[in-house]
Amino acid sequence: MPNHDYTTRILWTGNRGEGTAHYRAYDRTWDIAVPGKAPVHCSNDPLLGGDPGKMNPEDLLLSALSACHMLWYLHYASDAGIVVTGYSDSPLGVGEVGRGGAGRFVKAVLRPHVVVKPGTDLAAAEAIHHRIHEVCFIARSVNFPVDCAPSFAVEG
């Protein structure tokens, strides 16, 4: 199978006029600018002095993991004849900070809530979730465990 190439542009927006003259002289803000797409304004984690109103790298990674899972779930559900009418997720990423301040994710738990049509085989609908990590581009690319704790509701 051919390789897929992805590109993006990161533009630091945090220069207050002094550049990085000292640690408190600059903001940890930037824009993600993918050609042809709206920019995403980002900042550092608020625990590290970032703007809590902007996405940070940890938010972006967890969101990408959740979105990839969702897209595969919708695909597999469609193939299985399971009609999904609603899908939301509130994933949890668990991080740790080691000596020297270096951090990492140690696990993530996806918590999708799926709304299906009446008469849906809920066991079959749940089983789909447990196949996705075999194919999800993002889940296959991270070096921490990703668990899934789905819940379901029947439309009505």
Side-chain angles (χ1 to χ4, degrees):
M1 182 170 251
N3 287 340
H4 294 266
D5 294 333
Y6 300 91
T7 185
T8 188
R9 182 165 185 254
I10 303 298
L11 175 65
W12 176 48
T13 59
N15 184 350
R16 294 188 215 143
E18 295 182 76
T20 60
H22 56 87
Y23 187 74
R24 300 262 182 233
Y26 61 97
D27 291 331
R28 281 75 173 161
T29 59
W30 69 94
D31 287 346
I32 298 172
V34 176
K37 299 177 183 179
V40 178
H41 307 294
C42 300
S43 183
N44 202 13
D45 185 307
L47 294 174
L48 301 171
D51 181 341
K54 295 181 180 174
M55 297 287 276
N56 63 55
E58 297 81 5
D59 295 333
L60 295 167
L61 178 60
L62 193 58
S63 296
L65 186 61
S66 175
C68 188
H69 184 95
M70 176 192 69
L71 292 169
W72 274 106
Y73 185 85
L74 297 173
H75 171 82
Y76 281 163
S78 177
D79 283 352
I82 295 171
V83 179
V84 175
T85 61
Y87 188 108
S88 62
D89 192 5
S90 299
L92 171 67
V94 178
E96 70 177 8
V97 178
R99 282 182 261 168
R104 68 182 186 121
F105 278 107
V106 294
K107 75 174 185 174
V109 180
L110 304 178
R111 301 180 295 191
H113 180 71
V114 183
V115 181
V116 295
K117 289 282 192 180
T120 298
D121 179 344
L122 295 180
E126 180 168 351
I128 292 171
H129 282 292
H130 305 293
R131 297 175 30 212
I132 293 173
H133 295 336
E134 299 168 8
V135 293
C136 173
F137 193 94
I138 307 301
R140 290 173 44 83
S141 299
V142 299
N143 68 353
F144 53 85
V146 179
D147 296 323
C148 188
S151 63
F152 293 89
V154 176
E155 184 181 78

